[in-house]
PDB file of all heavy atoms in Angstrom:
ATOM      1  N   GLU Q   1       1.626  -7.425 -17.222  1.00  0.00           N
ATOM      2  CA  GLU Q   1       2.169  -7.016 -15.922  1.00  0.00           C
ATOM      3  C   GLU Q   1       3.236  -5.939 -16.090  1.00  0.00           C
ATOM      4  O   GLU Q   1       3.273  -4.977 -15.316  1.00  0.00           O
ATOM      5  CB  GLU Q   1       2.727  -8.231 -15.179  1.00  0.00           C
ATOM      6  CG  GLU Q   1       1.643  -9.169 -14.662  1.00  0.00           C
ATOM      7  CD  GLU Q   1       2.215 -10.412 -14.010  1.00  0.00           C
ATOM      8  OE1 GLU Q   1       3.460 -10.592 -14.080  1.00  0.00           O
ATOM      9  OE2 GLU Q   1       1.456 -11.193 -13.428  1.00  0.00           O
ATOM     10  N   ARG Q   2       4.099  -6.095 -17.096  1.00  0.00           N
ATOM     11  CA  ARG Q   2       5.123  -5.085 -17.346  1.00  0.00           C
ATOM     12  C   ARG Q   2       4.477  -3.758 -17.749  1.00  0.00           C
ATOM     13  O   ARG Q   2       4.882  -2.683 -17.297  1.00  0.00           O
ATOM     14  CB  ARG Q   2       6.091  -5.541 -18.443  1.00  0.00           C
ATOM     15  CG  ARG Q   2       6.952  -6.721 -18.067  1.00  0.00           C
ATOM     16  CD  ARG Q   2       8.227  -6.773 -18.901  1.00  0.00           C
ATOM     17  NE  ARG Q   2       7.973  -6.697 -20.336  1.00  0.00           N
ATOM     18  CZ  ARG Q   2       7.739  -7.749 -21.118  1.00  0.00           C
ATOM     19  NH1 ARG Q   2       7.683  -8.969 -20.582  1.00  0.00           N
ATOM     20  NH2 ARG Q   2       7.540  -7.594 -22.416  1.00  0.00           N
ATOM     21  N   SER Q   3       3.481  -3.860 -18.608  1.00  0.00           N
ATOM     22  CA  SER Q   3       2.798  -2.650 -19.063  1.00  0.00           C
ATOM     23  C   SER Q   3       2.079  -1.958 -17.909  1.00  0.00           C
ATOM     24  O   SER Q   3       2.129  -0.724 -17.779  1.00  0.00           O
ATOM     25  CB  SER Q   3       1.790  -2.999 -20.164  1.00  0.00           C
ATOM     26  OG  SER Q   3       2.433  -3.580 -21.270  1.00  0.00           O
ATOM     27  N   MET Q   4       1.408  -2.738 -17.070  1.00  0.00           N
ATOM     28  CA  MET Q   4       0.700  -2.167 -15.930  1.00  0.00           C
ATOM     29  C   MET Q   4       1.672  -1.486 -14.972  1.00  0.00           C
ATOM     30  O   MET Q   4       1.387  -0.405 -14.450  1.00  0.00           O
ATOM     31  CB  MET Q   4      -0.072  -3.263 -15.186  1.00  0.00           C
ATOM     32  CG  MET Q   4      -1.337  -3.733 -15.894  1.00  0.00           C
ATOM     33  SD  MET Q   4      -2.592  -2.440 -16.041  1.00  0.00           S
ATOM     34  CE  MET Q   4      -2.803  -2.005 -14.326  1.00  0.00           C
ATOM     35  N   ALA Q   5       2.819  -2.123 -14.733  1.00  0.00           N
ATOM     36  CA  ALA Q   5       3.801  -1.539 -13.816  1.00  0.00           C
ATOM     37  C   ALA Q   5       4.288  -0.190 -14.327  1.00  0.00           C
ATOM     38  O   ALA Q   5       4.395   0.782 -13.567  1.00  0.00           O
ATOM     39  CB  ALA Q   5       4.975  -2.505 -13.624  1.00  0.00           C
ATOM     40  N   ARG Q   6       4.584  -0.108 -15.626  1.00  0.00           N
ATOM     41  CA  ARG Q   6       5.049   1.156 -16.204  1.00  0.00           C
ATOM     42  C   ARG Q   6       3.935   2.210 -16.178  1.00  0.00           C
ATOM     43  O   ARG Q   6       4.180   3.381 -15.874  1.00  0.00           O
ATOM     44  CB  ARG Q   6       5.510   0.933 -17.638  1.00  0.00           C
ATOM     45  CG  ARG Q   6       6.826   0.177 -17.775  1.00  0.00           C
ATOM     46  CD  ARG Q   6       7.168  -0.040 -19.233  1.00  0.00           C
ATOM     47  NE  ARG Q   6       7.168   1.216 -19.978  1.00  0.00           N
ATOM     48  CZ  ARG Q   6       6.836   1.336 -21.260  1.00  0.00           C
ATOM     49  NH1 ARG Q   6       6.448   0.244 -21.937  1.00  0.00           N
ATOM     50  NH2 ARG Q   6       6.880   2.503 -21.863  1.00  0.00           N
ATOM     51  N   ALA Q   7       2.709   1.781 -16.497  1.00  0.00           N
ATOM     52  CA  ALA Q   7       1.584   2.722 -16.508  1.00  0.00           C
ATOM     53  C   ALA Q   7       1.320   3.277 -15.114  1.00  0.00           C
ATOM     54  O   ALA Q   7       1.086   4.474 -14.939  1.00  0.00           O
ATOM     55  CB  ALA Q   7       0.331   2.034 -17.058  1.00  0.00           C
ATOM     56  N   MET Q   8       1.378   2.410 -14.102  1.00  0.00           N
ATOM     57  CA  MET Q   8       1.126   2.858 -12.739  1.00  0.00           C
ATOM     58  C   MET Q   8       2.250   3.759 -12.228  1.00  0.00           C
ATOM     59  O   MET Q   8       2.007   4.689 -11.453  1.00  0.00           O
ATOM     60  CB  MET Q   8       0.940   1.663 -11.809  1.00  0.00           C
ATOM     61  CG  MET Q   8      -0.306   0.833 -12.096  1.00  0.00           C
ATOM     62  SD  MET Q   8      -1.825   1.824 -12.257  1.00  0.00           S
ATOM     63  CE  MET Q   8      -1.870   2.645 -10.673  1.00  0.00           C
ATOM     64  N   GLU Q   9       3.472   3.490 -12.650  1.00  0.00           N
ATOM     65  CA  GLU Q   9       4.595   4.346 -12.242  1.00  0.00           C
ATOM     66  C   GLU Q   9       4.405   5.763 -12.787  1.00  0.00           C
ATOM     67  O   GLU Q   9       4.555   6.749 -12.051  1.00  0.00           O
ATOM     68  CB  GLU Q   9       5.915   3.757 -12.745  1.00  0.00           C
ATOM     69  CG  GLU Q   9       7.134   4.564 -12.331  1.00  0.00           C
ATOM     70  CD  GLU Q   9       8.436   3.953 -12.820  1.00  0.00           C
ATOM     71  OE1 GLU Q   9       8.394   2.905 -13.511  1.00  0.00           O
ATOM     72  OE2 GLU Q   9       9.497   4.523 -12.533  1.00  0.00           O
ATOM     73  N   LYS Q  10       4.065   5.869 -14.065  1.00  0.00           N
ATOM     74  CA  LYS Q  10       3.824   7.189 -14.657  1.00  0.00           C
ATOM     75  C   LYS Q  10       2.601   7.850 -14.035  1.00  0.00           C
ATOM     76  O   LYS Q  10       2.595   9.058 -13.780  1.00  0.00           O
ATOM     77  CB  LYS Q  10       3.635   7.046 -16.169  1.00  0.00           C
ATOM     78  CG  LYS Q  10       4.873   6.633 -16.932  1.00  0.00           C
ATOM     79  CD  LYS Q  10       4.582   6.455 -18.418  1.00  0.00           C
ATOM     80  CE  LYS Q  10       4.149   7.749 -19.075  1.00  0.00           C
ATOM     81  NZ  LYS Q  10       3.932   7.586 -20.534  1.00  0.00           N
ATOM     82  N   PHE Q  11       1.579   7.059 -13.794  1.00  0.00           N
ATOM     83  CA  PHE Q  11       0.337   7.554 -13.199  1.00  0.00           C
ATOM     84  C   PHE Q  11       0.595   8.133 -11.809  1.00  0.00           C
ATOM     85  O   PHE Q  11       0.167   9.243 -11.484  1.00  0.00           O
ATOM     86  CB  PHE Q  11      -0.660   6.394 -13.140  1.00  0.00           C
ATOM     87  CG  PHE Q  11      -1.957   6.699 -12.445  1.00  0.00           C
ATOM     88  CD1 PHE Q  11      -2.873   7.569 -13.005  1.00  0.00           C
ATOM     89  CD2 PHE Q  11      -2.262   6.102 -11.242  1.00  0.00           C
ATOM     90  CE1 PHE Q  11      -4.079   7.841 -12.373  1.00  0.00           C
ATOM     91  CE2 PHE Q  11      -3.462   6.364 -10.598  1.00  0.00           C
ATOM     92  CZ  PHE Q  11      -4.372   7.237 -11.168  1.00  0.00           C
ATOM     93  N   ASN Q  12       1.349   7.394 -10.986  1.00  0.00           N
ATOM     94  CA  ASN Q  12       1.625   7.856  -9.627  1.00  0.00           C
ATOM     95  C   ASN Q  12       2.602   9.023  -9.612  1.00  0.00           C
ATOM     96  O   ASN Q  12       2.543   9.863  -8.707  1.00  0.00           O
ATOM     97  CB  ASN Q  12       2.150   6.703  -8.775  1.00  0.00           C
ATOM     98  CG  ASN Q  12       1.038   5.760  -8.338  1.00  0.00           C
ATOM     99  OD1 ASN Q  12      -0.111   6.167  -8.201  1.00  0.00           O
ATOM    100  ND2 ASN Q  12       1.375   4.501  -8.127  1.00  0.00           N
ATOM    101  N   ASP Q  13       3.506   9.086 -10.582  1.00  0.00           N
ATOM    102  CA  ASP Q  13       4.398  10.246 -10.675  1.00  0.00           C
ATOM    103  C   ASP Q  13       3.592  11.525 -10.885  1.00  0.00           C
ATOM    104  O   ASP Q  13       3.859  12.554 -10.258  1.00  0.00           O
ATOM    105  CB  ASP Q  13       5.394  10.069 -11.827  1.00  0.00           C
ATOM    106  CG  ASP Q  13       6.513   9.096 -11.482  1.00  0.00           C
ATOM    107  OD1 ASP Q  13       6.675   8.792 -10.285  1.00  0.00           O
ATOM    108  OD2 ASP Q  13       7.215   8.655 -12.412  1.00  0.00           O
ATOM    109  N   MET Q  14       2.611  11.444 -11.761  1.00  0.00           N
ATOM    110  CA  MET Q  14       1.769  12.609 -12.027  1.00  0.00           C
ATOM    111  C   MET Q  14       0.962  12.971 -10.790  1.00  0.00           C
ATOM    112  O   MET Q  14       0.856  14.158 -10.409  1.00  0.00           O
ATOM    113  CB  MET Q  14       0.824  12.312 -13.198  1.00  0.00           C
ATOM    114  CG  MET Q  14      -0.102  13.471 -13.535  1.00  0.00           C
ATOM    115  SD  MET Q  14      -1.166  13.095 -14.964  1.00  0.00           S
ATOM    116  CE  MET Q  14      -2.122  14.624 -15.068  1.00  0.00           C
ATOM    117  N   ARG Q  15       0.411  11.978 -10.103  1.00  0.00           N
ATOM    118  CA  ARG Q  15      -0.391  12.255  -8.913  1.00  0.00           C
ATOM    119  C   ARG Q  15       0.466  12.817  -7.778  1.00  0.00           C
ATOM    120  O   ARG Q  15      -0.001  13.647  -6.995  1.00  0.00           O
ATOM    121  CB  ARG Q  15      -1.097  10.985  -8.455  1.00  0.00           C
ATOM    122  CG  ARG Q  15      -2.131  10.473  -9.448  1.00  0.00           C
ATOM    123  CD  ARG Q  15      -3.100   9.530  -8.787  1.00  0.00           C
ATOM    124  NE  ARG Q  15      -2.435   8.383  -8.205  1.00  0.00           N
ATOM    125  CZ  ARG Q  15      -2.927   7.664  -7.210  1.00  0.00           C
ATOM    126  NH1 ARG Q  15      -4.078   8.001  -6.664  1.00  0.00           N
ATOM    127  NH2 ARG Q  15      -2.274   6.618  -6.747  1.00  0.00           N
ATOM    128  N   THR Q  16       1.718  12.372  -7.699  1.00  0.00           N
ATOM    129  CA  THR Q  16       2.620  12.888  -6.664  1.00  0.00           C
ATOM    130  C   THR Q  16       2.965  14.347  -6.917  1.00  0.00           C
ATOM    131  O   THR Q  16       3.011  15.162  -5.983  1.00  0.00           O
ATOM    132  CB  THR Q  16       3.900  12.044  -6.599  1.00  0.00           C
ATOM    133  OG1 THR Q  16       3.553  10.682  -6.266  1.00  0.00           O
ATOM    134  CG2 THR Q  16       4.856  12.583  -5.553  1.00  0.00           C
ATOM    135  N   ARG Q  17       3.206  14.688  -8.191  1.00  0.00           N
ATOM    136  CA  ARG Q  17       3.505  16.086  -8.513  1.00  0.00           C
ATOM    137  C   ARG Q  17       2.334  16.992  -8.158  1.00  0.00           C
ATOM    138  O   ARG Q  17       2.511  18.082  -7.604  1.00  0.00           O
ATOM    139  CB  ARG Q  17       3.853  16.225 -10.006  1.00  0.00           C
ATOM    140  CG  ARG Q  17       5.207  15.637 -10.384  1.00  0.00           C
ATOM    141  CD  ARG Q  17       5.626  16.098 -11.763  1.00  0.00           C
ATOM    142  NE  ARG Q  17       4.676  15.716 -12.800  1.00  0.00           N
ATOM    143  CZ  ARG Q  17       4.719  14.561 -13.459  1.00  0.00           C
ATOM    144  NH1 ARG Q  17       5.663  13.675 -13.181  1.00  0.00           N
ATOM    145  NH2 ARG Q  17       3.835  14.297 -14.402  1.00  0.00           N
ATOM    146  N   GLU Q  18       1.130  16.539  -8.482  1.00  0.00           N
ATOM    147  CA  GLU Q  18      -0.047  17.329  -8.127  1.00  0.00           C
ATOM    148  C   GLU Q  18      -0.222  17.387  -6.613  1.00  0.00           C
ATOM    149  O   GLU Q  18      -0.666  18.398  -6.058  1.00  0.00           O
ATOM    150  CB  GLU Q  18      -1.303  16.739  -8.777  1.00  0.00           C
ATOM    151  CG  GLU Q  18      -1.329  16.893 -10.296  1.00  0.00           C
ATOM    152  CD  GLU Q  18      -2.680  16.512 -10.886  1.00  0.00           C
ATOM    153  OE1 GLU Q  18      -3.634  16.311 -10.110  1.00  0.00           O
ATOM    154  OE2 GLU Q  18      -2.778  16.432 -12.120  1.00  0.00           O
ATOM    155  N   GLY Q  19       0.152  16.288  -5.937  1.00  0.00           N
ATOM    156  CA  GLY Q  19       0.065  16.248  -4.482  1.00  0.00           C
ATOM    157  C   GLY Q  19       0.990  17.260  -3.826  1.00  0.00           C
ATOM    158  O   GLY Q  19       0.656  17.839  -2.787  1.00  0.00           O
ATOM    159  N   GLU Q  20       2.157  17.476  -4.425  1.00  0.00           N
ATOM    160  CA  GLU Q  20       3.095  18.465  -3.888  1.00  0.00           C
ATOM    161  C   GLU Q  20       2.489  19.866  -3.925  1.00  0.00           C
ATOM    162  O   GLU Q  20       2.636  20.645  -2.973  1.00  0.00           O
ATOM    163  CB  GLU Q  20       4.399  18.428  -4.682  1.00  0.00           C
ATOM    164  CG  GLU Q  20       5.214  17.152  -4.452  1.00  0.00           C
ATOM    165  CD  GLU Q  20       6.414  17.059  -5.373  1.00  0.00           C
ATOM    166  OE1 GLU Q  20       6.551  17.938  -6.255  1.00  0.00           O
ATOM    167  OE2 GLU Q  20       7.216  16.124  -5.212  1.00  0.00           O
ATOM    168  N   SER Q  21       1.804  20.173  -5.008  1.00  0.00           N
ATOM    169  CA  SER Q  21       1.146  21.481  -5.106  1.00  0.00           C
ATOM    170  C   SER Q  21       0.022  21.597  -4.079  1.00  0.00           C
ATOM    171  O   SER Q  21      -0.156  22.649  -3.447  1.00  0.00           O
ATOM    172  CB  SER Q  21       0.583  21.685  -6.519  1.00  0.00           C
ATOM    173  OG  SER Q  21       1.610  21.681  -7.479  1.00  0.00           O
ATOM    174  N   LEU Q  22      -0.732  20.512  -3.905  1.00  0.00           N
ATOM    175  CA  LEU Q  22      -1.803  20.517  -2.912  1.00  0.00           C
ATOM    176  C   LEU Q  22      -1.246  20.716  -1.507  1.00  0.00           C
ATOM    177  O   LEU Q  22      -1.806  21.467  -0.702  1.00  0.00           O
ATOM    178  CB  LEU Q  22      -2.585  19.203  -2.971  1.00  0.00           C
ATOM    179  CG  LEU Q  22      -3.539  19.000  -4.146  1.00  0.00           C
ATOM    180  CD1 LEU Q  22      -4.067  17.572  -4.160  1.00  0.00           C
ATOM    181  CD2 LEU Q  22      -4.699  19.979  -4.074  1.00  0.00           C
ATOM    182  N   GLU Q  23      -0.124  20.057  -1.218  1.00  0.00           N
ATOM    183  CA  GLU Q  23       0.458  20.150   0.127  1.00  0.00           C
ATOM    184  C   GLU Q  23       0.918  21.576   0.435  1.00  0.00           C
ATOM    185  O   GLU Q  23       0.769  22.057   1.563  1.00  0.00           O
ATOM    186  CB  GLU Q  23       1.628  19.177   0.262  1.00  0.00           C
ATOM    187  CG  GLU Q  23       2.192  19.125   1.674  1.00  0.00           C
ATOM    188  CD  GLU Q  23       3.216  18.022   1.854  1.00  0.00           C
ATOM    189  OE1 GLU Q  23       3.478  17.285   0.885  1.00  0.00           O
ATOM    190  OE2 GLU Q  23       3.750  17.920   2.978  1.00  0.00           O
ATOM    191  N   LYS Q  24       1.471  22.258  -0.547  1.00  0.00           N
ATOM    192  CA  LYS Q  24       1.889  23.645  -0.337  1.00  0.00           C
ATOM    193  C   LYS Q  24       0.696  24.521   0.021  1.00  0.00           C
ATOM    194  O   LYS Q  24       0.764  25.357   0.926  1.00  0.00           O
ATOM    195  CB  LYS Q  24       2.586  24.181  -1.588  1.00  0.00           C
ATOM    196  CG  LYS Q  24       3.956  23.570  -1.854  1.00  0.00           C
ATOM    197  CD  LYS Q  24       4.563  24.136  -3.129  1.00  0.00           C
ATOM    198  CE  LYS Q  24       5.916  23.492  -3.412  1.00  0.00           C
ATOM    199  NZ  LYS Q  24       6.500  23.986  -4.698  1.00  0.00           N
ATOM    200  N   ASP Q  25      -0.403  24.326  -0.701  1.00  0.00           N
ATOM    201  CA  ASP Q  25      -1.601  25.114  -0.425  1.00  0.00           C
ATOM    202  C   ASP Q  25      -2.159  24.781   0.957  1.00  0.00           C
ATOM    203  O   ASP Q  25      -2.547  25.684   1.718  1.00  0.00           O
ATOM    204  CB  ASP Q  25      -2.653  24.849  -1.498  1.00  0.00           C
ATOM    205  CG  ASP Q  25      -3.902  25.694  -1.306  1.00  0.00           C
ATOM    206  OD1 ASP Q  25      -3.827  26.910  -1.545  1.00  0.00           O
ATOM    207  OD2 ASP Q  25      -4.941  25.143  -0.896  1.00  0.00           O
ATOM    208  N   LEU Q  26      -2.188  23.492   1.292  1.00  0.00           N
ATOM    209  CA  LEU Q  26      -2.689  23.083   2.597  1.00  0.00           C
ATOM    210  C   LEU Q  26      -1.846  23.668   3.722  1.00  0.00           C
ATOM    211  O   LEU Q  26      -2.375  24.160   4.723  1.00  0.00           O
ATOM    212  CB  LEU Q  26      -2.706  21.552   2.704  1.00  0.00           C
ATOM    213  CG  LEU Q  26      -3.678  20.797   1.806  1.00  0.00           C
ATOM    214  CD1 LEU Q  26      -3.483  19.294   1.970  1.00  0.00           C
ATOM    215  CD2 LEU Q  26      -5.114  21.165   2.119  1.00  0.00           C
TER     216      LEU Q  26
END
């Protein structure tokens, strides 16, 4: 559970950064 929480936090951080770039283009 601890490992999954850390993995998902890093995973969502990366997706959020990419989302910011997508939002600018949109």
